[in-house]
Amino acid sequence: MGTSKQRWRISFHKSPSKQPSFPKEFICPISGSLMADPVIVSSGHTFERHCVHACKSLSFTPILPDGSIPDFSTIIPNLALKSTILNFCRSSLLDPPKPINFLTAENLVSSLMHTQKAQNLSSLRNRVLSHISTSSEESVTPRSGPTRPSCYSSSSASDVDTLNTNSYEEDELVGKLKSSQVSEQEEAVIYFRKLTRTREETRVQFCTPRVLSALRVLITSRYASIQVNSVAALVNLSLENRNKVNIIRSGIVPPLIDVLKGGFQESQEHAAGAVFSLALDDQNKTALGVLGALPPLLHALRSESERTRHDSALALYHLSLVQSNRAKLVKLGAVQALLGMVKTGHMTGRFMLILCNLAASSEGRAAMLDGGAVECFVSMLRKGEFDSESSRENCIAALYGLSHGGLRFKGLAKEAAAEELLIQVEETGSERAKDKARKILEVLRQKDEEEEEVDWEKLLNSDDDISQSRISTSSS
């Protein structure tokens, strides 16, 4: 297993002597090069955009150097990382990276497919031989290393060995997870994390009520290693769509939320990733809101950990697609918090996605109109405070959501001088931006019956007269 991983890293990354020393998070795991157009995918991994498109085009899912498997179902620009990379290059007097073209990315992925297939076959052969020669010794494992259940794992569902859950393997794993010895718990959970890191089949077959029940207790362990590895193992299990609903139903979410609130920092990172992963399933969105995931996710947006902030924002985006969660977020003061964060210019694209969802509800619109969202968005558009066209488009989309706010929106838009700016967007923006700007302008130019019939000056004067009359009556 170790040999396979070592060769994998070599196949993914160029020799350090041939490229400048960059932080590893700046490097695309597929191309091995500095990312120019990083995107984050559903599993939370970040890649160069064309590498993701090439993988999807070739129907290929790579196994990453850390053993994890990405989920390419959703692609969102990683604007914060892109900005960080550009600032790093600028401060280091380096030229900014150039995006690789699709053809180059496709060739890289095609080559990787052949390499991974050869490694999988070699790894499978070695594990089968190892299992045959050492199966009688596996019950006596040195205390210095993780205790390994007697099952062995291969790299694909078509391998010759098939795990039989609810059998000896599961009994042994659950027994060690529930052991009264802390050292055995630690060994078992570390191994379980490794076991579920790469194999889809293993993740599905070990996501059972018994295993989840044992894991639920360990998630809130006061021992850092046990807590961190337990939550990380849960993230691995949650990567499979078939597991997401079962995990929610197991009762493991409340302790997971407790970790997100006050666990060890690395545990909080994994907890945010687990909630994000679970939130991708439509059946789980309402349940996560009911179980109390929204308040700690909002709080986690201010975490010191960049990974926690990013995954929390993505989780909130998916959860805010449900109306019941939008209403809860408004009551929690999410609108003011998100508008304040948007103004800082950090993670603007992600926060704007959440605000777009909130603007689609009556409660969200009212809170945003009261909170100065129209002035905020118009000011950002006027100053061009975006590092990508998609962020700018999302800002206009949020304004479009607010345009359903009737006369209140029209008054605020007029006060912010939005019409002139929207005319410019309609002329020079992207197709999506032009379409939204055009629709907002139609709303602003539309004459409502209420506007045509009401004489506001007369109404205000009449209110003054009524007030004076009441005062006189009261005095008498």
Side-chain angles (χ1 to χ4, degrees):
M1 196 75 164
T3 304
S4 174
K5 288 183 179 178
Q6 185 177 8
R7 287 199 300 268
W8 175 258
R9 292 191 183 97
I10 292 172
S11 67
F12 261 71
H13 299 291
K14 297 177 181 179
S15 171
S17 63
K18 294 183 180 180
Q19 61 180 22
S21 177
F22 295 108
K24 63 180 181 179
E25 60 268 25
F26 292 3
I27 305 298
C28 173
I30 292 178
S31 70
S33 303
L34 190 65
M35 288 184 281
D37 188 10
V39 295
I40 190 164
V41 298
S42 300
S43 54
H45 299 94
T46 297
F47 302 91
E48 183 71 26
R49 181 186 295 274
H50 279 157
C51 288
V52 175
H53 290 317
C55 286
K56 295 182 73 172
S57 174
L58 296 171
S59 300
F60 172 66
T61 303
I63 301 175
L64 302 183
D66 64 359
S68 60
I69 298 177
D71 178 357
F72 295 138
S73 56
T74 303
I75 302 173
I76 301 173
N78 196 334
L79 304 178
L81 181 58
K82 181 177 180 179
S83 177
T84 303
I85 291 173
L86 292 175
N87 289 337
F88 181 89
C89 291
R90 198 158 31 241
S91 63
S92 303
L93 301 178
L94 298 170
D95 292 331
K98 295 181 180 179
I100 63 174
N101 60 52
F102 179 76
L103 182 59
T104 301
E106 197 170 44
N107 289 335
L108 280 170
V109 171
S110 180
S111 174
L112 193 58
M113 289 173 66
H114 294 297
T115 302
Q116 182 170 313
K117 183 177 180 180
Q119 289 175 353
N120 288 346
L121 291 173
S122 174
S123 177
L124 173 59
R125 182 173 60 254
N126 291 338
R127 279 196 297 273
V128 171
L129 292 174
S130 174
H131 174 70
I132 292 172
S133 62
T134 62
S135 59
S136 61
E137 301 173 5
E138 286 189 347
S139 59
V140 186
T141 305
R143 297 289 292 177
S144 59
T147 303
R148 179 185 181 188
S150 60
C151 61
Y152 57 93
S153 59
S154 58
S155 303
S156 72
S158 61
D159 293 343
V160 295
D161 58 308
T162 302
L163 293 172
N164 180 20
T165 55
N166 297 320
S167 63
Y168 175 74
E169 291 85 1
E170 184 181 342
D171 290 341
E172 186 177 9
L173 175 62
V174 171
K176 292 186 180 297
L177 291 173
K178 289 186 173 182
S179 171
S180 60
Q181 300 295 319
V182 173
S183 58
E184 283 200 3
Q185 292 177 359
E186 184 177 8
E187 289 172 357
V189 79
I190 288 173
Y191 174 71
F192 187 49
R193 177 183 180 181
K194 291 180 179 178
L195 183 69
T196 55
R197 183 175 290 163
T198 59
R199 285 194 66 195
E200 174 184 348
E201 182 185 3
T202 303
R203 290 198 288 260
V204 172
Q205 293 186 341
F206 273 100
C207 189
T208 66
R210 294 175 66 216
V211 173
L212 290 173
S213 176
L215 206 59
R216 184 174 64 238
V217 177
L218 299 182
I219 277 180
T220 53
S221 171
R222 60 194 176 95
Y223 298 99
S225 177
I226 294 177
Q227 185 184 109
V228 167
N229 285 287
S230 296
V231 184
L234 182 64
V235 173
N236 292 344
L237 294 177
S238 73
L239 295 177
E240 301 306 322
N241 292 332
R242 287 172 285 181
N243 291 346
K244 295 183 191 296
V245 174
N246 291 335
I247 290 172
I248 293 285
R249 291 174 178 170
S250 72
I252 208 168
V253 170
L256 180 66
I257 290 173
D258 288 340
V259 171
L260 186 58
K261 289 178 181 177
F264 296 100
Q265 181 171 321
E266 187 178 350
S267 300
Q268 289 180 323
E269 292 179 352
H270 292 308
V275 176
F276 163 43
S277 178
L278 293 172
L280 293 174
D281 192 294
D282 290 340
Q283 297 181 70
N284 290 344
K285 289 178 171 59
T286 301
L288 285 167
V290 171
L291 291 169
L294 299 176
L297 285 173
L298 276 174
H299 185 265
L301 294 179
R302 301 185 185 277
S303 168
E304 294 180 0
S305 165
E306 188 85 0
R307 179 178 174 183
T308 300
R309 292 197 300 271
H310 283 190
D311 284 351
S312 297
L314 288 170
L316 285 169
Y317 163 70
H318 286 283
L319 292 177
S320 62
L321 292 169
V322 175
Q323 171 55 27
S324 60
N325 289 335
R326 292 172 187 159
K328 288 184 175 73
L329 285 169
V330 171
K331 290 180 180 178
L332 289 169
V335 168
Q336 284 295 344
L338 289 167
L339 286 176
M341 293 177 190
V342 162
K343 291 175 183 177
T344 67
H346 179 63
M347 287 175 60
T348 303
R350 301 238 176 118
F351 296 147
M352 198 63 72
L353 285 171
I354 304 170
L355 288 168
C356 281
N357 287 344
L358 295 179
S361 68
S362 57
E363 301 96 331
R365 278 196 299 273
M368 291 171 72
L369 291 173
D370 291 341
V374 174
E375 181 184 0
C376 173
F377 295 160
V378 171
S379 175
M380 292 175 68
L381 287 168
R382 183 171 286 116
K383 295 176 182 178
E385 296 179 348
F386 305 101
D387 54 7
S388 75
E389 182 60 28
S390 62
S391 294
R392 186 167 181 259
E393 290 174 353
N394 289 331
C395 184
I396 298 168
L399 268 178
Y400 173 67
L402 295 178
S403 71
H404 294 80
L407 294 176
R408 179 120 170 82
F409 170 77
K410 289 185 178 182
L412 291 170
K414 183 177 181 181
E415 186 178 345
E419 185 169 353
E420 180 182 350
L421 182 64
L422 290 167
I423 291 173
Q424 295 177 8
V425 173
E426 188 183 19
E427 293 174 351
T428 62
S430 65
E431 287 304 314
R432 182 187 175 210
K434 288 179 180 178
D435 178 61
K436 297 297 183 186
R438 184 163 50 250
K439 290 178 179 177
I440 299 172
L441 287 170
E442 289 174 0
V443 170
L444 293 177
R445 293 164 180 168
Q446 178 182 345
K447 287 289 184 181
D448 292 340
E449 291 182 5
E450 187 178 356
E451 287 182 287
E452 292 176 350
E453 294 177 1
V454 174
D455 186 334
W456 294 104
E457 185 176 352
K458 183 177 179 180
L459 181 62
L460 289 172
N461 290 335
S462 67
D463 285 344
D464 290 339
D465 294 340
I466 292 172
S467 299
Q468 289 297 329
S469 174
R470 286 176 179 169
I471 293 171
S472 299
T473 302
S474 175
S475 298
S476 64

